[in-house]
Amino acid sequence: MNETPPQKNAAVPYQLTYLVLALAITAYSLLQSLVAPVLPLLEQDLHTDRNTVTWILTAYLLAAAVATPILGRIGDMIGKKKVLTAVLAIACIGSILGALASSITLMIVARAIQGIAGGVIPLAFGIVRDEFPRDKVTGAVGVISALIGVGGGLGLLLGGPIVDRLNAHWLFWIPAIAIAVAAIATHLIVPESPARTSGRVSWIAAVLLSSWLIALLVAISEAPKWGWASSSVLGLLVAAAILAALWMRCELRSDSPLIDMAMMRIPAVWTTNLAALLIGIAMYSIFAFVPAFLQGTPEAGYGFNSSITESGLIVLPLSVAFLLAGIGSGPLAHRFGAKVVLVGSSVVASASLLILAFAHSAIWQVMLSMLLMGAGFGLAFSSMSGIIVHAVPSHQTGSASGTNANIRTIGGAIGSAMMASIVTAHLLPDGLPTESGYTTGFAILAIASAIGAAAALLIPSKPTPITIPSDIQLTDTPNTATISN
C-alpha cells in the first residue's frame, strides 16, 4: 500500500477551511441530540413505546459507528473532500426522510441514514492533517473534538424552542438546511488534498462490525422484555462475542483494516481508547435520558414537570462548560499533562453523575451536575485528542483521532441501549419509568466514568510516536499497521 504525500494547498487559507469543517462537525453533532428532548412526544406521535423510541438515538449511533471507519477509508482512497460532500448530502436526505416520517420504522431508518454523517469525523481530521500547518494540527483536532460535544449539548437546548414555535418535523428540516449549506460550502471552499492511499474497503470487516454491534444492542435493549436469562438474549450475547472475535481477527489479517488493531496495541492508544469507550457510554446516554428525566412529574418521584424548552435550559450549563473546558484544556494539559487532565476530568464526570443519581430534588442540583458534567466531558474529549495525536506518527494523526472518536460513538450506542434497558425495566401504571430506574442508570454511568479514570491511569506518562510494541511495524500509510511474524 502506498500513499501520495500530501501537499498543502496555499490557495485556500486553512482558517477558512477550518470554518467549513466546524460547520460540518456542528451540524453532525446536532443530529445526535436534537431529537432527544422530544422522545416522549415522538413516542406518542409515532404510536410506540418508551423502549422502541430509544432506537431513534441508538440507530443513529450504530450507523455512525459502522460508517465512520468505512468512509474514512474511502476518503483516503478517492479524496476526502469528495467523500465529505457526499456524506453530507446523504445525511441531508436522511433528515428530509425523518421530516416526512409517519411511523417509527421509517423514523428509525431515517435516523440510520442520518448516522452516515459519522463519516464527517475522520474526514475532517484527515483534512486538518493534510491542509493545516503542522503546529496547528493538535489544537485544531482538539477543538473539533470539543465541538462534537458542544453541538450535542446545543441540540438539547434547541429542541424545545423549535417544537414550540414550529413543530417536531422541523427538528429534521432545520438540520437538513444546515447540512445542505455545509455540503455546498465544502464543495466550493475545502481544497481536495492530492494525498491518496491505495487499498480497498474491507467489506467483510464492515459486515462483522455491524453484526456484532446489532446483536449486542438488541440483546441489551430487549433483555427487560425477554428476560436476561432467556435463550434469545443469551444467544444474541454469544453471537455478539463470536462475531466480535471474528471481526478482530479479520481486521488483524487485513491489509486495509477499518480500525487498525495493530495501532490500537500502542500503549498510549489502547488505554486512551478504552477510556473513550467508557466516557462515550456515559456522555451519549446523558443526551438521551436527562431531558425525559426532567420532564417527569413530581408524582412519579422525579422531575419537575418541565416543558421541552425548560428541560433544555436546565441542561444548558453542560454545553457552556463543555465549550469553555475545550478551550481551556490546552493550557491545563501544558501545565499538568494531558494524562492528568483526562484522569481528573473523568473523576469530575463521575462525581457529576453521582449527584444526578442521588441529589436531584431541586433544579439547582441538576444544573450543578450539568455544569460539572460539561467540564468533565469537555476536558476529557480534548485531552484524549491531544494524547492520541502525540502517541502516533504524524501521518497517522487523522486515522488515530478518527478511531478514538468512533470508539466513543460505539460506547454511546452501547450506553444508550443499556440505559434504555435499565430505565424501562420497571414502569409505573401510567407508563412512565420509575425513579429507581433512572437512579440505577445514572449510578451505573458514574461507575463507567470512574472506570474510565482508572483506564486513563494506565496511559504512559510521556507517550511518544516511537514508543510502540516491538512486534508492530507501522507502514507509511496513514491508516494501517502490520504485525510482523
Side-chain angles (χ1 to χ4, degrees):
M1 301 212 1
N2 297 313
E3 179 196 11
T4 303
Q7 299 174 0
K8 310 301 182 189
N9 192 321
V12 179
Y14 75 90
Q15 295 93 337
L16 186 57
T17 297
Y18 185 74
L19 288 176
V20 176
L21 295 178
L23 173 62
I25 287 289
T26 303
Y28 156 74
S29 58
L30 282 172
L31 292 178
Q32 297 179 72
S33 60
L34 197 58
V35 300
V38 299
L39 284 181
L41 176 63
L42 293 175
E43 179 184 347
Q44 297 175 7
D45 291 348
L46 299 174
H47 310 290
T48 186
D49 56 52
R50 184 62 57 97
N51 193 37
T52 303
V53 80
T54 306
W55 275 91
I56 291 177
L57 300 176
T58 304
Y60 176 89
L61 293 170
L62 173 62
V66 176
T68 295
I70 295 174
L71 294 169
R73 164 65 59 187
I74 295 175
D76 287 339
M77 292 165 54
I78 69 174
K80 301 175 186 67
K81 170 186 175 177
K82 187 185 304 181
V83 176
L84 178 57
T85 304
V87 165
L88 292 169
I90 293 171
C92 183
I93 293 172
S95 298
I96 294 172
L97 185 61
L100 301 175
S102 58
S103 69
I104 185 62
T105 301
L106 186 58
M107 179 64 75
I108 290 174
V109 170
R111 288 289 289 170
I113 295 173
Q114 281 186 318
I116 293 174
V120 168
I121 297 174
L123 294 168
F125 286 151
I127 291 170
V128 166
R129 183 202 71 207
D130 291 348
E131 300 299 330
F132 283 35
R134 179 164 295 186
D135 61 337
K136 303 293 184 182
V137 169
T138 301
V141 168
V143 175
I144 286 177
S145 295
L147 283 175
I148 297 171
V150 172
L154 286 177
L156 300 179
L157 175 66
L158 297 176
I162 291 173
V163 172
D164 290 344
R165 287 170 172 72
L166 300 168
N167 56 52
H169 297 285
W170 283 93
L171 295 172
F172 297 90
W173 287 121
I174 289 176
I177 295 170
I179 294 170
V181 171
I184 294 170
T186 299
H187 176 71
L188 295 177
I189 295 173
V190 175
E192 183 61 274
S193 170
R196 294 289 187 277
T197 300
S198 61
R200 58 183 178 81
V201 175
S202 178
W203 294 109
I204 295 177
V207 171
L208 290 171
L209 172 62
S210 58
S211 296
W212 77 258
L213 280 172
I214 290 172
L216 177 63
L217 297 179
V218 171
I220 293 174
S221 62
E222 297 298 331
K225 186 187 301 181
W226 297 346
W228 279 101
S230 67
S231 58
S232 298
V233 170
L234 293 176
L236 284 169
L237 291 175
V238 171
I242 294 172
L243 290 168
L246 291 173
W247 168 69
M248 286 188 283
R249 180 181 177 86
C250 178
E251 292 284 61
L252 282 168
R253 292 190 168 194
S254 175
D255 293 331
S256 303
L258 295 178
I259 295 180
D260 192 343
M261 293 296 173
M263 184 176 65
M264 288 273 285
R265 290 176 58 189
I266 299 173
V269 174
W270 76 258
T271 49
T272 304
N273 285 337
L274 177 58
L277 178 73
L278 293 160
I279 290 170
I281 287 174
M283 195 194 77
Y284 289 110
S285 299
I286 290 301
F287 287 166
F289 288 93
V290 165
F293 176 77
L294 296 174
Q295 292 166 31
T297 61
E299 291 77 13
Y302 62 90
F304 309 100
N305 203 23
S306 303
S307 67
I308 298 172
T309 298
E310 289 169 344
S311 64
L313 289 172
I314 295 173
V315 177
L316 178 60
L318 185 150
S319 297
V320 175
F322 205 116
L323 177 60
L324 295 177
I327 295 173
S329 64
L332 286 175
H334 180 73
R335 174 68 177 83
F336 300 104
K339 172 184 174 178
V340 173
V341 173
L342 178 55
V343 172
S345 61
S346 300
V347 171
V348 170
S350 180
S352 71
L353 286 160
L354 288 175
I355 293 173
L356 186 62
F358 301 111
H360 50 247
S361 60
I363 291 179
W364 72 265
Q365 293 173 323
V366 177
M367 295 186 75
L368 173 62
S369 172
M370 293 297 103
L371 182 68
L372 294 173
M373 198 176 299
F377 287 139
L379 288 171
F381 268 42
S382 296
S383 59
M384 282 189 291
S385 298
I387 293 169
I388 290 292
V389 166
H390 287 94
V392 300
S394 59
H395 62 264
Q396 288 197 314
T397 298
S399 173
S401 300
T403 297
N404 182 258
N406 190 47
I407 288 174
R408 291 200 302 264
T409 303
I410 292 174
I414 295 172
S416 295
M418 178 186 71
M419 191 70 178
S421 177
I422 295 170
V423 169
T424 61
H426 302 286
L427 300 176
L428 298 170
D430 58 3
L432 289 175
T434 62
E435 181 183 21
S436 62
Y438 281 110
T439 299
T440 301
F442 293 145
I444 290 176
L445 296 182
I447 293 172
S449 292
I451 298 174
L457 286 172
L458 300 176
I459 299 172
S461 297
K462 295 181 179 180
T464 63
I466 59 173
T467 305
I468 59 177
S470 59
D471 62 339
I472 295 179
Q473 180 182 354
L474 296 174
T475 69
D476 62 352
T477 69
N479 289 310
T480 60
T482 58
I483 302 290
S484 57
N485 295 323

